[in-house]
Structures are given as structure tokens and as C-alpha cells.
Amino acid sequence: MTTEATPISVRSAEEMLPQPFRVTEIRRETPDTMTLALEPTSGPGIEYAPGQFTMVYVFGVGEVPISIAGGQEGKLMHTVRAVGAVTRAICALGPGDIVGIRGPYGTSWPITEADGRDLVIAAGGIGLAPLRSTVQYALNHRDRFGYVSLIYGTRSPGELLYEDELREWRSRFEIEVEVTVDRAADGWYGDVGLVTNLLPRIFYDPEKTTAMVCGPEIMMKVVARELGSRRVGFDDVYVSLERNMKCAIGFCGHCQYGPDFVCKDGPVVPYSQVRNRMRVAEV
Amino acid sequence: MTGQVLERETFGHLFAELNKMGFTLIGPTVRDKTIVYDELHSVDELPIGWTDEQDGGSYRLRRRDDEALFGYVVGSQSWKKYLFPPRSVLFEIGKVGDALTFSEPERSSQPRAFIGVRACELAAIKIQDQVFLGSGHVDRTYQHNREEIFTVAVNCAVAGGTCFCVSMETGPECNAGYDLVVTEVIDEGIHEFVIEAGSDAGQKVLAALPGRPAVDEDQAHVAAIVADTAAHMGRTLNTSSVREVLYAGRESTHWDDVAEVCLACTNCTLVCPTCFCSTTEDVASLDGSTATRSRRWDSCFSLEFSALHGSPVRSSTKARYRQWMTHKLAGWQDQFGSSGCVGCGRCITWCPVGIDITKTTAAIRADSEVLG
């Protein structure tokens, strides 16, 4: 009777309610990582912007935030690493299985804002998943950008995601694709070392570069610092944060990172916004 | 605003009137040597003649030398347990073959009157309104529970040992957010209640009560009582630039001092009337045909709270205490435009080792002044 606060924007009343999606295809990327193609069992599905995520629910097991790796016309592609109970259950799904999905949530990569600029896309490990659709966007709208580069690092050659696509992207000669691993294996003739080692090799004009970086926090920090030392502004370097998350709409409190809720103020934020926090351990 | 004055003998009419309007009455009552909030059926169930003594890690009920109905401050419970319940169902899932269906829980009408809501608690409810209704998304459970509440506020006539509502500018006087506000006046042979309305609904109830109109002298009584309470706060917290002080003090050594005694027991977050964090639980039926996804109160003091890929982001107690306090006093301002602390003192009283948010803030402040 004395409710004073008024909702800023009331989205769907059922925004906590997932919609059923069917697994149409599931493919092994690495020993612990699978890529799933999903389509809505009915209804329009989910339209998203690159960098956003959804909450994926497995019957009776639970729900986890998963970045959107791709998908069109309401369909989704998710790449999932089996690290906990829910992600293990997702990786054990087969074609025809139904999951619940709600979203999309969160901020997106500034891909349309980067019109006319050089792009540096830097990924570490499974961090390539939320960047995959930005690479595709850049390829599909190649004339809108200056230099475009993807630098990608994983621990070992066996942990590279989207290997066929990496080959295809590289073979089109429209963007530069550089890959490195921490530890080589038999048959690896590529680079060995940190992803930052690839930075001197690619072309970009620091004055007009937008960088999009996703990987472990330490990797993002090192790449951002390195780009900064090469005169790319920290406002132009975007990172994608990851935190524990239960609700994705700012109620559960788990994803707080300083004053930000990663679920709605992130996951994609300019590095300048989090630079001071990233220096302190356990924030 | 014209008020009414009810004698002690006729105060029960307020309860009767609210009952008649279909409200379930909920208010303070004595249980397990503390004051809890529960369903009330008569005025006699209020903590008549009781007061509470509170200090860091200490809460005791004591007999007063009068028969006051509201002669105490706040216990461990807050109205949060009704508006944002410790457990609630998010959605139900049905499974037929491979197909899944998702549905919201059924919610029935539940008109309730909250009796004895203090100024700090009105402020806490306003803060949770902002969190659950006013930040872009609407929490359906909270929204449902928040509807149909009739609020009878009470101006505090005593200050508790851990109270600091004056510092947080939330009390002790109730200024907004109520339907009725009651001030209990006990003075040389008089025992009466000055009641004022804060809404049309309150005005209607007030008009049905058998009191006398309040006069200037009654208003003067109310003002004197509130002023006396304000002058006897158990604690103070300097809020000047507290946001900047805490952000700058992330690496202060005082967090280590607190961490040495903090048990990470989560008590402070459970008794806090504004803490809103929750986790989720999934329970499937034995035959695998249905499942329920629920949420329950969680705490940033638990190790699993920040777990990412199996290991916590905030593994040390120091980092978890710092998260809680920095969020409450600093981050909250960025997120919701107000402090997350209302100065009720519960986190101090119910901390088993008596950690004091006012003292920790002062220590961090002193540190930041030294460091510049």
C-alpha cells in the first residue's frame, strides 16, 4: 500500500521462467568441452547481441550462465566446459534432449560502435566462445572495419576450440588469425607462449583500435596492460567478466564485482572501469 | 495532520478494526527469550512490560517498571522474512517424455497488517523495494508479498545499545512509508497512544477508532519522545564520504584484524533487514516427473558464494567481510542510490564475537586519513 519504488522497466512478468530448447546437435571440442546447437521447441527463441549470455537449466540439476557462441533466427549455439554438476550434465546431453533457457542477459561487445575502427580480438581458452560471433560479424561486414585480428591462446593444441572454423577464417585472408599454445605437442608447428607474444605481429592503429578480450582474468589483465603500453586507451579495451551467478537479473547478489553486478552491468565492460579493482586480490 | 489519541484500554480497537478489514495481524511477541515477529491475535500477545538490552554480541530481555507495549527496539528478525522469505519457489518444471514445461508457483491473496514497524525498518523495506521492484527487473515473489500490506509503524521511545539510526538518517522518527504511525506515551498516570495516518487507508482506519483528537500537547509529547530517543543512540557511524573511504581502504590492514575474530557464521547477513542475497536449490520428484526450483537466503560470508569453476573468488574471511561491509556502505550507493545500512544495529548485537560495523568503519577511516 505504501510501495514507493516504481519499476524502471517491467520486462516480461515471467522473466525468471525458462523456455524449452531442444538440442539438435552436440559436438566435442576438447576432452572436457562440448558445443551444442539448440532450437526452441516452440515460439520465437532468443535474439541476442554478441557477448551476451543465457541461463541454461537442466531438469532437476540446476541452472548456469553460459555465454552465447552463436546462432541465428532464435536458435542458439553454446560451448560448455564440464567443470561443475550442471555443466557436466549439459555436456552429457544428446540430440533431442530438452533444456530450459532464459535470456539473453548482460552487456554485449561494442561491435557496431567499432564501425570504421581496427579490431583486436584476443581470446584465451574457452574465452573464444563469446567472441566467436564478433569474428563472424567482422567477416560478414568486413568493409566496415580497418585491420581485424584474432589472437588466440590455449594451454595445449588439444584445447583449441572451433578448429575447422579457425582454419576457414584464416584461409579467407580477410582477417589475421594468430594462434599460440602454452605447451606444444607432437605435430604442433605453431607458436608457443603467451597470447601477448602475438601482439607485436598484428596490425592496428592504437589511435583507432577497439580491443575485445576474453579469457582468464590474469590473461585479460596482461593483454589490456600490453595494449595500454602500446597506446591503446583503456576505454577502448573491453573485457568480459565471469562470476558465480544464480539469477542473472541482479537479485541473487552472487556476481557482484565491486559495485557492479556482472549479470547486468557486465559481463562486457571497458577495462578502464575495472582496472583498479583487478589490482586487488579477492574483490 | 490530525491524529487521534487512544487510551491503553481502547488500544485493542486498532487490532479489532484491522481484523475486521480482513488483515492477518503480524507483530512483535516474546519467544525463546527474545522478541520475534509472528501472527498476533490480541494486544496481550505483545511484549508487554519488556525491554531489551543490546550490545556487541549480547541481547537480553529485561522487565520494565511499567506495562509499555512497545518499550523495546528490534530483535533478530525483521520484516524481510515476510516480504523476501527465507525460502520461496521460483518455478515448477514438469517432464513428460523429453518435453519440459515451466510454470510459476500459484500465489494467493494474503492481506497482512504489520504492527510495530520501526523507522529503521521502514527504511529497510524502502531499500528492498528499490532492490526487488525498482532496479529494472521485478521480483515476482517480493512484489506479491509486498502487495496488501498495511503498515502500523511505531516511533521508538527508547534507543537500543547498538542503535545508530540517527547516523544513517533513518530514524528514530517515522516519516514516510506507513499507513499509521503510533507513539506510545507513558507519563505520570497516563498511558496512551498518539496515532497519525500516513495514507488514505490509514485515515479510514483512524476514523473508525474511538479516540479523542490529538491536540498540540500530544504532538509536543511525540516530539519530545523522539528527540529523547535520538539523543540516546548506542552507536554512531560517520557517513561522510564513507563510500570513498571504503573504496580507498580495500587494502587496509584493519580487514585482517576483523578477519582474525570473524567466524564467517553469516549471522550478520541473516539478521540484516536489507541483505538480499540468495542461492538456488533444485529438487526433483522420485519418479522424475516434476522438479521444483527454489531460492533460499544465502550469505556472502559462505565459501561457496563466490565459487567459480569449483574454487571461491573470495577464499579468505577478510575478503568476505570486506565484500559485505563495502557493499553495504559503499557499493550499495552505486547500485541503488542509497546506503544499504539503516542503523538498526542487528549485525552488531547478533555477531557472536561482537564485530561492530561502526568501529570497523572508523578504523578504516582512520587508516585512510593516515594514508591520505
Side-chain angles (χ1 to χ4, degrees):
Chain A
M1 278 174 197
T2 46
T3 309
E4 283 180 21
T6 41
I8 297 165
S9 70
V10 183
R11 300 210 327 192
S12 155
E14 280 120 17
E15 57 193 327
M16 278 298 276
L17 222 50
Q19 43 174 315
F21 271 69
R22 180 181 293 108
V23 178
T24 54
E25 195 194 330
I26 181 157
R27 181 180 79 230
R28 184 171 296 280
E29 296 283 350
T30 79
D32 63 359
T33 304
M34 307 291 271
T35 290
L36 296 86
L38 299 141
E39 64 177 28
T41 59
S42 63
I46 289 174
E47 298 296 334
Y48 66 94
Q52 289 192 296
F53 68 95
T54 71
M55 295 297 283
V56 180
Y57 171 83
V58 181
F59 180 78
V61 183
E63 203 179 34
V64 280
I66 303 287
S67 66
I68 301 170
Q72 283 167 352
E73 292 160 357
K75 297 176 189 173
L76 292 172
M77 178 180 142
H78 278 311
T79 298
V80 183
R81 190 152 69 100
V83 284
V86 185
T87 48
R88 272 196 295 273
I90 293 172
C91 288
L93 292 171
D97 284 342
I98 310 282
V99 294
I101 296 193
R102 57 189 177 92
Y105 298 115
T107 55
S108 54
W109 299 110
I111 190 79
T112 47
E113 293 85 336
D115 229 43
R117 295 169 68 85
D118 294 347
L119 297 183
V120 173
I121 300 169
I126 197 166
L128 182 58
L131 285 167
R132 180 181 169 273
S133 45
T134 65
V135 176
Q136 286 185 322
Y137 183 93
L139 282 166
N140 294 340
H141 305 85
R142 187 63 192 88
D143 55 342
R144 292 196 192 166
F145 302 101
Y147 295 114
V148 177
S149 315
L150 166 67
I151 55 173
Y152 178 37
T154 61
R155 280 177 296 186
S156 66
E159 285 166 87
L160 289 170
L161 302 183
Y162 317 135
E163 279 192 273
D164 294 346
E165 280 180 316
L166 282 171
R167 261 192 294 275
E168 190 223 315
W169 294 341
R170 182 180 275 152
S171 67
R172 285 169 66 166
F173 296 106
E174 290 174 303
I175 65 171
E176 186 150 2
V177 178
E178 299 284 345
V179 178
T180 182
V181 296
D182 292 345
R183 287 183 310 277
D186 278 353
W188 178 254
Y189 299 104
D191 282 282
V192 175
L194 294 176
V195 74
T196 40
N197 294 351
L198 304 174
L199 273 177
R201 204 182 295 170
I202 60 172
F203 291 97
Y204 57 93
D205 176 355
E207 301 290 314
K208 56 181 201 72
T209 289
T210 297
M212 297 179 275
V213 189
C214 186
E217 234 163 81
I218 178 73
M219 171 266 181
M220 296 194 289
K221 207 157 68 173
V222 171
V223 171
R225 203 182 293 156
E226 196 64 30
L227 285 166
S229 73
R230 288 156 195 271
R231 293 179 294 113
V232 178
F234 289 141
D235 288 337
D236 294 322
V237 178
Y238 288 79
V239 296
S240 181
L241 304 168
E242 189 179 18
R243 282 292 181 274
N244 187 310
M245 216 176 265
K246 301 294 181 193
C247 74
I249 50 179
F251 293 147
C252 79
H254 282 248
C255 72
Q256 289 179 85
Y257 183 48
D260 292 324
F261 289 98
V262 169
C263 68
K264 54 180 193 177
D265 302 315
V268 177
V269 295
Y271 181 65
S272 53
Q273 188 176 321
V274 290
R275 187 177 165 224
N276 287 337
R277 259 173 265 166
M278 276 195 167
R279 289 184 184 146
V280 183
E282 295 188 81
V283 171
Chain B
M1 192 181 297
T2 53
Q4 280 240 29
V5 181
L6 282 191
E7 300 287 329
R8 168 65 186 87
E9 290 69 34
T10 51
F11 186 69
H13 285 268
L14 172 62
F15 279 39
E17 195 57 39
L18 292 169
N19 257 324
K20 209 166 74 189
M21 293 171 74
F23 290 109
T24 300
L25 270 55
I26 297 168
T29 191
V30 173
R31 183 172 310 148
D32 300 332
K33 297 181 184 170
T34 74
I35 292 170
V36 300
Y37 293 148
D38 205 347
E39 196 171 327
L40 298 179
H41 303 92
S42 85
V43 172
D44 298 336
E45 289 172 306
L46 289 169
I48 298 173
W50 288 103
T51 193
D52 44 13
E53 282 176 8
Q54 302 197 29
D55 203 347
S58 165
Y59 178 98
R60 293 288 180 277
L61 286 188
R62 298 272 184 249
R63 272 283 166 201
R64 290 171 59 99
D65 53 15
D66 60 25
E67 295 294 298
L69 305 191
F70 299 105
Y72 41 87
V73 287
V74 292
S76 64
Q77 298 184 346
S78 69
W79 304 98
K80 177 170 93 170
K81 74 169 184 170
Y82 294 105
L83 302 175
F84 167 49
R87 278 172 196 279
S88 57
V89 173
L90 291 171
F91 52 83
E92 315 263 8
I93 311 97
K95 189 174 201 283
V96 180
D98 281 333
L100 296 184
T101 55
F102 298 89
S103 54
E104 279 200 88
E106 277 184 32
R107 300 184 171 103
S108 52
S109 168
Q110 44 175 5
R112 295 177 290 189
F114 289 174
I115 311 289
V117 183
R118 305 309 175 101
C120 61
E121 301 187 300
L122 291 173
I125 292 170
K126 188 178 168 191
I127 286 171
Q128 286 214 326
D129 283 352
Q130 185 64 32
V131 171
F132 288 119
L133 304 175
S135 300
H137 295 277
V138 168
D139 185 82
R140 300 268 281 163
T141 303
Y142 186 88
Q143 184 185 40
H144 174 73
N145 291 335
R146 188 72 177 85
E147 287 166 357
E148 302 183 284
I149 301 289
F150 187 97
T151 306
V152 180
V154 165
N155 282 323
C156 284
V158 291
T162 56
C163 287
F164 55 103
C165 63
V166 169
S167 298
M168 303 317 293
E169 297 178 32
T170 59
E173 186 173 19
C174 302
N175 290 314
Y178 54 79
D179 294 293
L180 290 174
V181 60
V182 176
T183 311
E184 183 172 30
V185 181
I186 300 176
D187 196 11
E188 296 179 14
I190 14 174
H191 188 180
E192 53 193 21
F193 300 85
V194 182
I195 309 180
E196 290 163 298
S199 70
D200 292 345
Q203 196 65 53
K204 263 183 219 152
V205 174
L206 199 57
L209 296 178
R212 63 169 174 83
V215 294
D216 286 352
E217 200 187 341
D218 298 309
Q219 303 296 356
H221 265 138
V222 172
I225 285 167
V226 169
D228 185 63
T229 306
H232 288 90
M233 288 285 116
R235 297 285 197 278
T236 57
L237 192 150
N238 179 0
T239 58
S240 160
S241 305
V242 69
R243 174 177 167 275
E244 291 71 24
V245 165
L246 290 178
Y247 282 158
R250 277 202 177 104
E251 290 174 288
S252 164
T253 55
H254 285 285
W255 301 116
D256 298 294
D257 300 341
V258 177
E260 257 181 50
V261 289
C262 175
L263 306 170
C265 72
T266 78
N267 264 15
C268 51
T269 54
L270 300 178
V271 297
C272 178
T274 67
C275 271
F276 58 83
C277 288
S278 62
T279 189
T280 47
E281 281 174 352
D282 292 87
V283 177
S285 62
L286 278 177
D287 65 358
S289 65
T290 60
T292 302
R293 185 162 172 82
S294 312
R295 74 172 171 201
R296 63 169 171 78
W297 288 356
D298 199 3
S299 171
C300 53
F301 281 88
S302 79
L303 204 49
E304 310 80 58
F305 185 85
S306 64
L308 200 57
H309 310 304
S311 53
V313 170
R314 295 180 209 103
S315 54
S316 68
T317 304
K318 163 188 155 176
R320 283 175 265 154
Y321 184 85
R322 179 179 65 191
Q323 164 62 23
W324 175 70
M325 208 182 97
T326 308
H327 178 221
K328 191 68 52 184
L329 295 172
W332 211 292
Q333 297 187 39
D334 293 293
Q335 295 168 350
F336 304 109
S338 77
S339 176
C341 175
V342 296
C344 71
R346 286 181 178 94
C347 60
I348 307 171
T349 299
W350 297 94
C351 174
V353 294
I355 294 171
D356 187 331
I357 190 172
T358 66
K359 288 182 187 160
T360 312
T361 307
I364 304 284
R365 181 182 294 279
D367 225 22
S368 75
E369 275 160 12
V370 171
L371 296 169

